[in-house]
Amino acid sequence: MKSSATIEALSEETRRFPPPPELASGANARPGIYEEAERDYEAFWASWARKLEWSKPFTKTLEWNEPFAKWFGDGELNASVNALDRHVRAGQGARVAYYYEGEPGDRRSISYAQLLAEVCRFGNALRKLGIKKGDRVAIYMPMIPELPIAMLACARIGAAHSVIFGGFSPDSIVDRVNDSQCVALVTADQGWRRGKKVLLKNNCDAAMKATPSVRTCIVARRVGDPVQMQAGRDVWWHDIVADSPIQCEPDPMNAEDLLYLLYTSGTTAKPKGIQHTTGGYLTGVTMTHKLVFDLKEDDVYWCAADIGWVTGHSYIVYGPLCNGATSIIYEGTPDFPDKDRLWEIVERYKVSILYTAPTAIRTFMKWGAQYPAKHDLSSLRLLGSVGEPINPEAWMWYREHIGRGRCPVVDTWWQTETGAIMIAPLPGITTTLPGSATLPLPGIAADVVNEQGESVPPGGGGYAVLTRPWPSMLRGIWGDEERYRQTYWSKFAHKYLAGDGCRRDAEGNYWFMGRIDDVMNVSGHRISTTEVESALIEHPKVAEAAVCGKLDGMTGQAIYAFVSLRGAESGTPGLADELRAHVGEKLGKFTQPKFVTFTQELPKTRSGKIMRRLLRDIAEGRTLGDTTTLADSTVVKELQERAASESARDEA
Ligand code: PRX
């Protein structure tokens, strides 16, 4: 059997949810917005850009010298002014910017005026330390208010920040700091995670042995245990801001000046420093945050991601603050002290918009609906998902047990590279379908193409691409123009390659099917990992599943499934057969996993994505590739042993 399709589309989802009428009637996005954007997409983006405050208005919208874009390139503005000063000047200084909740239970609410004052104090302190416009500053912190303060203070004085997720090791700090030659490193003594202390400053000390560009290390006090401070290099945050003025003149930035770098770990090669600039990025995150989450004056908005990822940059810091939103920042994990911590927070602050990831939702499913059921979640009115394809079962569970059947679910597709959401429903307009990110947002042009770069007809699958520039797009990879061209702009002419597999249905809805590199080839069928995983998750005993291909003499590749079960279920050969039959029935016999290994946990990155590359190594019995991005390395050993016995059984 041979198939020429780039990727086959096997499942069919028929459930659909039109927007609730009361939401639709007052929604921020009005019908007609798609047509308006299509008539003149540059003018559309320019009108959103003009909602920001410019110290020098732009006269040019887009200069496109493929693959390099300049948006609003002759305008000047400052990101921290747009995030803070603007609202304070408009009389909104007392409005809460962040409700902060530390893992041990400490709480603070921080108004826009207070946040502005803190940002100014820290900005002045940075300047006094000799940090200036054009420098890069690394930030390695827990989820404490000092983290967004540090980011915004950098933006205020024109230094680019490079946030390094607080779960990374000293080696990861070294690579990232050296790549972009950061002059300073901002950290905290320690952080809290599941009741344990994370040794942030210690990690920095280890890293700074190999980061000659770092002149200064600024340490915020979070936990309070003593840490080593090296004279001449290390300073306490509270000392340097002690007599710092609360006014700090913002540096006017060109729209195309670097706002930040954020490193994405390529699965094999060294991390890429993704560059985001000021004007276009702020335009993209502000517009999408307002429309996709339908943000209103009285909303309490919570993006439960870590600021160390792009989701946090765009939808905890820049998007919400530019829109004057009231947000939550929570330091810790969802299961501390118990598995209902998130729901307790939703109830306490009357959260109305919640944005989280499929991996979290599947974990909540595994723990069981009794945890959210303990809390009053009636304040919620909108739910969002990001980070991975959301399996239809997880989508339905989210809608039912968290949204209590009332809240639209917006599945938002985007990437570190895209800066802002690209494909997602507009909750007042779009009919949603469980598992689909639905349609490109107004102003965004996307397509699904085959190996030759031709648009695939409705119903077909292929490569997801973006077909014209957008304001929040990456401006390149730090120090590696060629890699930028190669990675994103070389496979197809004039198209940005996202690297994701995708299917589009007859109505034009996009169904993302995982990374193209993960596609399995069984008897010539190109099968997406997402579809097989979603079929497995539909089985009532399954909580989470990850599949990958394993070389097979008969079929080229055979499907190998790693399955974790709900609650008290245990894995048996009988259940494995039941799962094979279930998948076969749902998607076709050729998609039945040949191998099934049960496991408590799946190997995930620190941002919660399943590491299928590692699973492939495990399935093939190979030595494991790079495991530095793995969240919990104990998971892997056990899997290796089980997989070895599973393979031995097959050979016998
Ligand atoms: O594979 C897609 C998946 O996450 C990748 C981007 O990862 P990152 O740069 O870490 O950014 C994550 C937060 C934006 C994409 O290439 N992805 C993200 N959102 C979705 C998704 N896959 C399917 N559906 C989504 N909603």
Side-chain angles (χ1 to χ4, degrees):
M1 251 194 297
K2 262 267 174 255
S3 141
S4 63
T6 306
I7 184 163
E8 288 182 41
L10 303 168
S11 59
E12 183 80 49
E13 173 63 57
T14 52
R15 292 168 288 196
R16 49 199 62 221
F17 299 91
E22 58 297 349
L23 194 154
S25 61
N28 293 342
R30 309 308 308 157
I33 189 170
Y34 291 96
E35 293 77 6
E36 180 206 330
E38 269 328 282
R39 269 196 298 279
D40 184 347
Y41 82 100
E42 290 186 32
F44 174 79
W45 285 118
S47 76
W48 279 95
R50 284 195 195 96
K51 296 184 207 291
L52 297 169
E53 184 177 298
W54 296 80
S55 51
K56 176 171 176 258
F58 60 91
T59 62
K60 297 178 188 155
T61 297
L62 170 66
E63 295 153 82
W64 181 224
N65 177 16
E66 191 184 305
F68 297 98
K70 284 187 180 172
W71 283 89
F72 322 119
D74 61 346
E76 287 180 0
L77 76 175
N78 183 286
S80 78
V81 169
N82 275 282
L84 303 170
D85 306 57
R86 202 162 44 121
H87 310 307
V88 175
R89 263 189 267 117
Q92 297 289 313
R95 190 175 164 80
V96 175
Y98 292 124
Y99 288 113
Y100 176 72
E101 169 130 347
E103 191 183 83
D106 52 318
R107 291 176 201 140
R108 275 169 77 181
S109 67
I110 304 161
S111 69
Y112 274 89
Q114 288 168 329
L115 193 57
L116 173 59
E118 293 304 322
V119 166
C120 285
R121 276 164 26 115
F122 195 61
N124 286 323
L126 289 177
R127 275 190 181 141
K128 214 164 158 185
L129 288 165
I131 295 160
K132 53 183 196 311
K133 187 168 177 170
D135 284 340
R136 272 89 47 211
V137 174
I139 303 178
Y140 177 71
M141 294 187 100
M143 285 280 282
I144 55 178
E146 285 78 2
L147 170 49
I149 291 168
M151 294 163 74
L152 292 160
C154 287
R156 195 160 190 93
I157 66 163
H161 53 75
S162 171
V163 178
I164 301 168
F165 172 60
F168 276 134
S169 63
D171 284 349
S172 314
I173 304 174
V174 171
D175 292 346
R176 288 160 174 78
V177 166
N178 287 346
D179 186 64
S180 55
Q181 295 289 294
C182 295
V183 298
L185 173 56
V186 187
T187 188
D189 51 356
Q190 299 178 340
W192 289 110
R193 188 171 173 82
R194 210 170 272 124
K196 297 212 175 69
K197 295 168 186 171
V198 185
L199 306 180
L200 297 165
K201 177 59 166 60
N202 272 12
N203 287 348
C204 289
D205 289 341
M208 282 188 289
K209 295 197 171 96
T211 56
S213 61
V214 173
R215 297 189 308 254
T216 313
C217 177
I218 303 162
V219 188
R221 181 169 281 153
R222 166 58 182 146
V223 171
D225 289 356
V227 293
Q228 288 217 341
M229 297 292 279
Q230 182 178 308
R233 183 193 67 187
D234 302 348
V235 290
W236 284 106
W237 177 302
H238 56 258
D239 286 339
I240 60 169
V241 300
D243 39 39
S244 195
I246 59 161
Q247 252 118 41
C248 173
E249 195 52 41
D251 240 308
M253 303 298 283
N254 180 274
E256 283 299 333
D257 280 340
L258 188 64
L259 176 62
Y260 68 79
L261 292 174
L262 186 57
Y263 284 82
T264 59
S265 24
T267 46
T268 46
K270 79 173 185 124
K272 306 187 275 274
I274 302 298
Q275 300 175 182
H276 282 293
T277 58
T278 309
Y281 175 77
L282 292 184
T283 303
V285 296
T286 307
M287 177 276 214
T288 50
H289 182 254
K290 196 168 195 96
L291 299 189
V292 175
F293 299 108
D294 191 40
L295 183 82
K296 296 288 201 267
E297 185 78 27
D298 50 359
D299 274 316
V300 178
Y301 161 87
W302 186 14
C303 168
D306 194 289
I307 293 176
W309 311 118
V310 74
T311 306
H313 281 58
S314 298
Y315 298 108
I316 300 177
V317 182
Y318 290 107
L321 293 177
C322 283
N323 283 326
T326 294
S327 304
I328 309 280
I329 294 181
Y330 168 55
E331 177 182 33
T333 59
D335 54 351
F336 190 85
D338 203 354
K339 297 186 172 70
D340 64 342
R341 183 67 183 267
L342 261 44
W343 319 122
E344 187 194 310
I345 294 175
V346 168
E347 179 171 1
R348 176 173 317 118
Y349 299 101
K350 302 199 171 11
V351 172
S352 55
I353 303 171
L354 177 67
Y355 191 28
T356 186
T359 178
I361 298 165
R362 292 188 304 256
T363 303
F364 303 145
M365 287 170 74
K366 183 153 80 179
W367 290 342
Q370 67 276 22
Y371 293 101
K374 281 199 255 180
H375 294 277
D376 176 5
L377 305 184
S378 60
S379 55
L380 287 171
R381 66 177 196 90
L382 192 78
L383 302 174
S385 169
V386 60
E388 279 184 292
I390 179 164
N391 323 94
E393 271 330 283
W395 196 102
M396 289 300 294
W397 190 94
Y398 194 27
R399 185 185 151 84
E400 213 166 292
H401 294 284
I402 308 303
R404 310 266 155 97
R406 297 174 293 104
C407 308
V409 175
V410 292
D411 174 17
T412 65
W413 178 86
W414 58 294
Q415 310 176 295
T416 304
E417 292 88 338
T418 69
I421 300 170
M422 297 284 107
I423 301 185
L426 290 177
I429 298 177
T430 317
T431 292
T432 56
L433 304 88
S436 172
T438 71
L439 300 168
L441 289 176
I444 299 301
D447 202 353
V448 177
V449 300
N450 63 16
E451 202 58 50
Q452 288 70 46
E454 302 149 351
S455 196
V456 301
Y463 297 88
V465 293
L466 297 167
T467 55
R468 65 183 183 216
W470 64 101
S472 64
M473 67 191 281
L474 75 165
R475 298 302 196 268
I477 297 174
W478 181 262
D480 204 342
E481 195 179 305
E482 190 45 35
R483 192 171 174 200
Y484 170 61
R485 288 179 193 278
Q486 277 302 324
T487 311
Y488 306 106
W489 298 94
S490 65
K491 188 168 174 75
F492 305 119
H494 314 307
K495 292 180 173 75
Y496 167 87
L497 177 76
D500 282 355
C502 189
R503 159 173 86 84
R504 206 167 26 187
D505 67 21
E507 289 149 71
N509 290 305
Y510 286 67
W511 300 79
F512 283 91
M513 304 208 287
R515 300 294 293 170
I516 276 288
D517 299 342
D518 292 334
V519 167
M520 304 170 291
N521 192 325
V522 182
S523 308
H525 294 281
R526 308 253 302 154
I527 302 169
S528 98
T529 49
T530 304
E531 285 197 302
V532 178
E533 289 163 7
S534 292
L536 283 164
I537 291 171
E538 252 180 46
H539 190 282
K541 292 185 180 159
V542 174
E544 213 171 6
V547 300
C548 65
K550 173 176 162 66
L551 285 177
D552 188 277
M554 288 291 291
T555 54
Q557 279 190 324
I559 297 180
Y560 200 127
F562 296 86
V563 175
S564 96
L565 298 173
R566 290 203 196 194
E569 300 292 342
S570 62
T572 59
L575 180 58
D577 285 339
E578 204 178 308
L579 295 179
R580 289 187 181 97
H582 172 80
V583 173
E585 203 167 297
K586 174 91 188 151
L587 303 177
K589 245 189 141 116
F590 61 98
T591 66
Q592 289 190 345
K594 181 164 176 186
F595 304 92
V596 177
T597 292
F598 294 101
T599 172
Q600 284 283 324
E601 296 290 343
L602 295 166
K604 290 182 183 168
T605 65
R606 287 160 204 272
S607 65
K609 289 189 213 293
I610 296 169
M611 288 182 79
R612 292 184 190 73
R613 174 178 58 81
L614 269 194
L615 289 175
R616 281 198 293 272
D617 290 342
I618 293 170
E620 301 288 9
R622 286 191 297 249
T623 355
L624 302 186
D626 182 12
T627 53
T628 50
T629 52
L630 193 62
D632 173 5
S633 53
T634 56
V635 173
V636 172
K637 258 208 118 39
E638 192 185 312
L639 272 180
Q640 281 178 304
E641 283 158 21
R642 291 194 190 181
S645 66
E646 177 78 16
S647 297
R649 190 162 46 236
D650 177 59
E651 277 157 25

